[in-house]
Amino acid sequence: MSVALVLIFGALRLTCPANNNSSNNNLNDNIYHDFPRFWTHSGFCAANNSSETAFRPTEEIKINLHYISALPSGAVKTIRIHWLLELLAFQEYTPSGVPVYDFTNLDMFLEFLDELGLYPVIEFMGNPNGVFSKNPLHNEFYWENLSSQIVQRYAGKYGPAKILKWRFESWNEPDLRKYNRLTFNFEDYVTYVYALRRGLTSAGQRLNNSIHLPLHGPAGLFRSTLNHPLCWKILQLCNDNIKNCPFDTITYHRKGHGKASEVLEASSLLLKELEINFPQVAKLPIANSEADPIAIWSTPHDYLADVRYAATLVTIVLLHWSAKLQKAEFKQLSYISHDNAFISYHPYEFSQRTLLAHFRMNNSQPVYSQFIQKPVYSALGMLSKLGSIATDLEFIAVNNTPQIQLLKTKVPDSRLYLSWLMLPTENVTSLGDFILRRQMGLQFCEQGRYAYLIEILEQKRTDPAALWIKFGKPPYPNATVRETLRHSQNPFIYANGILSNDTIEIHLGKLELPWILLLRVCSNLIPQAKRPRNLIAISITKNEVMLTWRENNTNNISCIKTYEVWHLIDFSKEWIHVSKGWHLPHLSFHYAPTNISVEGFYKVRSIDAFNNSSEFSDIVEYIEI
Ligand SMILES: *[C@@H]1O[C@H](CO)[C@@H](O)[C@H](O)[C@H]1NC(C)=O
Ligand SMILES: *[C@@H]1O[C@H](CO)[C@@H](O)[C@H](O)[C@H]1NC(C)=O
Ligand SMILES: *[C@@H]1O[C@H](CO)[C@@H](O)[C@H](O)[C@H]1NC(C)=O
Ligand SMILES: *[C@@H]1O[C@H](CO)[C@@H](O)[C@H](O)[C@H]1NC(C)=O
Ligand SMILES: *[C@@H]1O[C@H](CO)[C@@H](O)[C@H](O)[C@H]1NC(C)=O
Ligand SMILES: *[C@@H]1O[C@H](CO)[C@@H](O)[C@H](O)[C@H]1NC(C)=O
Ligand SMILES: *[C@@H]1O[C@H](CO)[C@@H](O)[C@H](O)[C@H]1NC(C)=O
Ligand SMILES: *[C@@H]1O[C@H](CO)[C@@H](O)[C@H](O)[C@H]1NC(C)=O
Ligand SMILES: *[C@@H]1O[C@H](CO)[C@@H](O)[C@H](O)[C@H]1NC(C)=O
Ligand SMILES: *[C@@H]1O[C@H](CO)[C@@H](O)[C@H](O)[C@H]1NC(C)=O
Ligand SMILES: *[C@@H]1O[C@H](CO)[C@@H](O)[C@H](O)[C@H]1NC(C)=O
Ligand SMILES: *[C@@H]1O[C@H](CO)[C@@H](O)[C@H](O)[C@H]1NC(C)=O
């Protein structure tokens, strides 16, 4: 198969003129860089504190995670959950005094994440049944032993290669009283961190090929040295003897006051300070493991409800990308994480820092949860469709002022795929009647044909929160309202067709601000749409079902336009295309018909940018219980 493709490309190269583009083609002048997906991380806190019963993955936590894993592959890879180790139960001490833990609940939860294709961040943070607080003198040994046990156990289960994709991080924000439940002083803290390091090292050495498991930390807030001594002092310790530093990646938290540029500026100040005061530490990889536009997830803000938050998150990603290329202090930036996988609560269904709006349906028996996707959720989906190489962020001038951000990405073989992301800069209030006209740098010739696809998230149009407000903010939206909200939760297709020339023209001034636009161009030489796999049906409530599936995408090229969901009540009837009229760019569909039963059989297929359909997935049966 791959040999055949190479031959086709070879033939193409012969018949396409080397340069049939006009001379003012911007694309050819651009430099493309490897574009790692450094933003594909989310997190949440499962409970307020580490009390014995605080953490249990409830049904709504699971459905929330089902949604997150139903974004296209590579949208969210890791998920950082505080207090995960509270899922361990301390059982007893062995005769020699080693704690024995019951892993049942942690096993189940990690198995669930694994089925979803998500990698956990294991924060060594918790106090299972008070084992640490009751034995302060043994903490060093307990942490070393526990970190080692965890690695051995899960490397045994999932294989060392997968465990290397997980992340291990030290205690979150150890200087804050609300997190520092073991009341670490600096000495305790250093002891704890080095114990983790030794535990990971010894467990790694015991595995085949003796792998090195990186430790990330100190997950510090790094405000004043007076108030945050633990994270600052451990950096000093590292700087004095960098070879003996327990951390492989330095993690910190910097947020803004609502704007993306503030996140970058706050980071920049901190990182410059590190460069000056801790020059050895500054050579290590760094990561902002909570790079949110504003602190405190639960504090409601109107802009967190709609396309404004989506645009802010995307701008955070783009600004960090540009900073990585241009600014010395960001050269070592390894990743950023968004802390937005929380579950919102009444009456702030849309306006907390979350990916989804959550409705707890207390008026039902039994009580259950409904989720609506916010535009920020779709924005992560759009980011996942970028190519593997990218230019620096470009600013397009409107009325001689830079007002539109453009990121151009593609794959190394540029005849196959390009993906451009565009959105207004943060401070824009009007784009007048601006029409964008751009050449894309594509080569047109006999054999090659290009389909293009433009999807847009637009304020007031893909805006379920605005509709919900219009309906009077019902705490228990009825089926009609829910369906209306869901119809506006995904980006819409602005244009799709076959390209006849190299120029793209988009009337951007007509769009309500803010908006996010994704342009993809796919060659017909790309192997055809692959059939979706792992289709499952999840019960939401009576006669409502969530269908989710996985992509078969391994080449960083995403030419899928939408999915179709088909339903068969029984084999005496016909298959019905039940998602007709829905644009489904993500890997899920909430099916809630009012006139027929959701029981029966389901299958799904993908439709690519050429309108070609894949084969159907395997068929699954759904029976209501
Ligand atoms: C978390 O804390 C807030 C306020 O401190 C409280 O209202 C809420 O009930 C708590 N939630 C849980 C799950 O304990
Ligand atoms: C933490 O958990 C304990 C025990 O369940 C509870 O009494 C306390 O109120 C909780 N604190 C917060 C801040 O939620
Ligand atoms: C935990 O400590 C006990 C006692 O020293 C030892 O037998 C066991 O191998 C340790 N486990 C790990 C994973 O380090
Ligand atoms: C280590 O390698 C041996 C032999 O190659 C194999 O049998 C065993 O399963 C491996 N163990 C792990 C944890 O990968
Ligand atoms: C908006 O911000 C950009 C980037 O910070 C700046 O270059 C531009 O001049 C600003 N535009 C306006 C209209 O203020
Ligand atoms: C539903 O009940 C939960 C738990 O009692 C409560 O926290 C929530 O506010 C209720 N929701 C509404 C919309 O009243
Ligand atoms: C659903 O709720 C909307 C808004 O509250 C209302 O206008 C409509 O009549 C309701 N529909 C049904 C079927 O109850
Ligand atoms: C696919 O079909 C849609 C709707 O029928 C049409 O608008 C679009 O141009 C078609 N795309 C291609 C590449 O032919
Ligand atoms: C180029 O293609 C677009 C649609 O893809 C079309 O609207 C436009 O008229 C074409 N321009 C020329 C010069 O052919
Ligand atoms: C679309 O499907 C047709 C028929 O199945 C096939 O001949 C053609 O190559 C496909 N085109 C693309 C771009 O996949
Ligand atoms: C996909 O892109 C990543 C970088 O984003 C790269 O490391 C990887 O090799 C690419 N995979 C393929 C199959 O091109
Ligand atoms: C159920 O209602 C939908 C939407 O009104 C309609 O398209 C569909 O044909 C109906 N199905 C049946 C089996 O009546």
Side-chain angles (χ1 to χ4, degrees):
M1 183 63 192
S2 61
V3 172
L5 280 175
V6 168
L7 290 177
I8 293 169
F9 298 159
L12 183 70
R13 203 173 279 130
L14 287 179
T15 50
C16 270
N19 184 6
N20 66 351
N21 300 306
S22 55
S23 54
N24 64 347
N25 179 352
N26 301 305
L27 197 80
N28 287 349
D29 304 334
N30 280 316
I31 300 166
Y32 281 80
H33 311 265
D34 280 336
F35 185 53
R37 292 168 189 265
F38 60 87
W39 63 87
T40 56
H41 315 287
S42 185
F44 68 99
C45 184
N48 284 346
N49 68 25
S50 67
S51 69
E52 294 178 11
T53 56
F55 185 90
R56 282 280 176 278
T58 56
E59 210 46 42
E60 63 268 29
I61 287 182
K62 288 186 178 169
I63 293 182
N64 186 39
L65 289 169
H66 271 296
Y67 270 105
I68 289 169
S69 78
L71 282 164
S73 39
V76 175
K77 285 190 208 131
T78 65
I79 191 105
R80 185 172 175 267
I81 309 171
H82 299 335
W83 305 119
L84 200 59
L85 296 192
E86 289 294 313
L87 284 176
L88 291 175
F90 165 75
Q91 274 181 321
E92 58 177 355
Y93 297 99
T94 64
S96 55
V98 184
V100 177
Y101 302 94
D102 177 353
F103 279 83
T104 311
N105 290 331
L106 186 60
D107 284 354
M108 271 174 8
F109 189 65
L110 293 176
E111 184 64 28
F112 176 64
L113 287 185
D114 187 60
E115 280 164 16
L116 296 181
L118 296 170
Y119 304 128
V121 179
I122 305 280
E123 289 176 296
F124 290 107
M125 177 180 183
N127 187 19
N129 305 85
V131 67
F132 292 108
S133 50
K134 286 177 195 154
N135 303 281
L137 292 179
H138 297 300
N139 271 356
E140 179 171 12
F141 171 66
Y142 288 5
W143 280 115
E144 179 174 341
N145 199 261
L146 177 58
S147 54
S148 183
Q149 278 195 46
I150 286 177
V151 170
Q152 282 196 311
R153 181 179 191 87
Y154 296 112
K157 257 191 166 143
Y158 301 114
K162 186 170 277 178
I163 301 311
L164 274 171
K165 294 185 172 169
W166 294 16
R167 272 205 310 257
F168 297 95
E169 197 171 16
S170 60
W171 203 288
N172 184 61
E173 297 183 355
D175 289 293
L176 294 199
R177 206 169 304 150
K178 83 169 174 177
Y179 290 121
N180 187 359
R181 291 269 148 173
L182 297 183
T183 59
F184 287 135
N185 61 28
F186 183 60
E187 204 183 317
D188 305 332
Y189 180 66
V190 169
T191 302
Y192 151 84
V193 175
Y194 277 93
L196 297 180
R197 179 64 272 166
R198 282 196 306 277
L200 294 181
T201 302
S202 68
Q205 279 166 355
R206 264 178 262 160
L207 294 172
N208 286 359
N209 306 323
S210 183
I211 56 176
H212 176 76
L213 292 157
L215 179 62
H216 300 236
L221 264 181
F222 292 103
R223 304 238 178 263
S224 73
T225 46
L226 190 67
N227 291 327
H228 295 165
L230 302 184
C231 58
W232 282 114
K233 282 163 91 173
I234 201 154
L235 285 201
Q236 183 67 57
L237 198 74
C238 276
N239 202 62
D240 292 347
N241 184 356
I242 195 69
K243 288 215 173 86
N244 198 28
C245 181
F247 301 124
D248 301 87
T249 296
I250 301 297
T251 56
Y252 66 93
H253 298 165
R254 274 292 177 275
K255 309 201 185 205
H257 305 287
K259 288 213 179 293
S261 53
E262 294 163 351
V263 182
L264 193 80
E265 271 155 38
S267 268
S268 171
L269 288 176
L270 175 67
L271 297 178
K272 281 180 177 159
E273 194 176 344
L274 295 193
E275 276 187 331
I276 293 167
N277 295 327
F278 308 104
Q280 297 306 316
V281 169
K283 292 177 188 159
L284 294 177
I286 48 152
N288 186 350
S289 53
E290 293 188 15
D292 301 296
I294 198 160
I296 314 185
W297 80 271
S298 54
T299 304
H301 299 277
D302 288 346
Y303 63 84
L304 293 178
D306 55 39
V307 181
R308 288 173 290 177
Y309 177 33
T312 304
L313 183 142
V314 169
T315 304
I316 288 173
V317 171
L318 298 189
L319 293 179
H320 279 83
W321 167 240
S322 188
K324 250 171 91 68
L325 294 175
Q326 290 193 7
K327 298 190 172 183
E329 73 270 25
F330 284 96
K331 282 277 182 290
Q332 290 295 92
L333 183 74
S334 167
Y335 60 92
I336 61 174
S337 180
H338 325 283
D339 215 21
N340 59 7
F342 295 93
I343 296 178
S344 66
Y345 55 78
H346 181 72
Y348 313 120
E349 283 81 351
F350 278 96
S351 55
Q352 292 173 324
R353 197 216 294 143
T354 62
L355 294 169
L356 304 164
H358 169 234
F359 291 90
R360 190 70 186 157
M361 306 299 280
N362 295 337
N363 64 339
S364 276
Q365 194 50 255
V367 172
Y368 75 104
S369 289
Q370 289 274 356
F371 289 92
I372 309 287
Q373 298 161 19
K374 286 164 55 172
V376 63
Y377 174 88
S378 290
L380 285 174
M382 287 170 135
L383 286 167
S384 76
K385 293 170 181 169
L386 296 174
S388 58
I389 55 177
T391 60
D392 193 358
L393 187 56
E394 183 182 326
F395 290 91
I396 298 173
V398 180
N399 299 327
N400 300 318
T401 319
Q403 306 218 52
I404 295 172
Q405 313 173 74
L406 166 62
L407 181 74
K408 293 189 273 196
T409 76
K410 57 183 187 178
V411 293
D413 188 335
S414 56
R415 289 162 303 169
L416 296 183
Y417 184 66
L418 74 76
S419 176
W420 288 10
L421 192 71
M422 253 179 267
L423 76 169
T425 58
E426 284 193 289
N427 49 9
V428 169
T429 51
S430 162
L431 291 174
D433 197 34
F434 182 69
I435 297 174
L436 180 83
R437 274 186 207 91
R438 271 282 170 138
Q439 289 191 295
M440 293 171 287
L442 299 164
Q443 303 196 355
F444 284 80
C445 46
E446 299 275 318
Q447 298 89 335
R449 288 200 311 145
Y450 293 107
Y452 74 105
L453 183 60
I454 298 175
E455 287 172 292
I456 298 182
L457 283 171
E458 182 185 8
Q459 187 75 345
K460 292 191 181 159
R461 175 155 179 186
T462 58
D463 192 350
L467 289 173
W468 180 63
I469 292 167
K470 237 188 219 164
F471 280 119
K473 296 191 178 183
Y476 312 119
N478 64 31
T480 324
V481 171
R482 295 199 301 268
E483 179 164 321
T484 310
L485 300 186
R486 288 199 171 100
H487 265 296
S488 73
Q489 71 184 351
N490 287 327
F492 68 92
I493 296 181
Y494 173 88
N496 165 225
I498 301 288
L499 286 178
S500 61
N501 59 66
D502 190 42
T503 305
I504 194 86
E505 192 174 301
I506 311 171
H507 200 156
L508 294 176
K510 269 200 176 153
L511 300 173
E512 190 77 35
L513 292 166
W515 43 261
I516 304 170
L517 183 150
L518 180 72
L519 160 69
R520 284 180 282 161
V521 176
C522 290
S523 157
N524 63 331
L525 300 177
I526 291 169
Q528 289 198 31
K530 292 192 189 140
R531 71 201 288 245
R533 53 189 175 87
N534 295 24
L535 175 63
I536 55 171
I538 301 155
S539 167
I540 297 295
T541 184
K542 193 170 161 35
N543 217 46
E544 288 191 34
V545 66
M546 175 185 182
L547 296 148
T548 93
W549 53 91
R550 300 249 165 281
E551 285 178 292
N552 246 323
N553 180 13
T554 51
N555 57 5
N556 296 326
I557 292 176
S558 179
C559 291
I560 289 172
K561 176 165 82 173
T562 191
Y563 289 90
E564 286 180 359
V565 179
W566 292 69
H567 178 215
L568 177 71
I569 294 212
D570 65 63
F571 283 98
S572 68
K573 307 262 181 2
E574 304 256 296
W575 281 98
I576 303 168
H577 174 200
V578 289
S579 63
K580 213 175 210 160
W582 293 82
H583 176 46
L584 300 181
H586 311 313
L587 319 177
S588 72
F589 180 59
H590 184 106
Y591 185 42
T594 49
N595 50 1
I596 49 166
S597 162
V598 299
E599 291 199 315
F601 302 89
Y602 291 92
K603 59 182 184 180
V604 180
R605 65 179 178 182
S606 62
I607 310 296
D608 69 14
F610 287 90
N611 289 338
N612 267 11
S613 44
S614 74
E615 282 174 58
F616 279 106
S617 67
D618 287 339
I619 294 169
V620 299
E621 182 173 14
Y622 178 71
I623 302 169
E624 204 150 70
I625 28 169

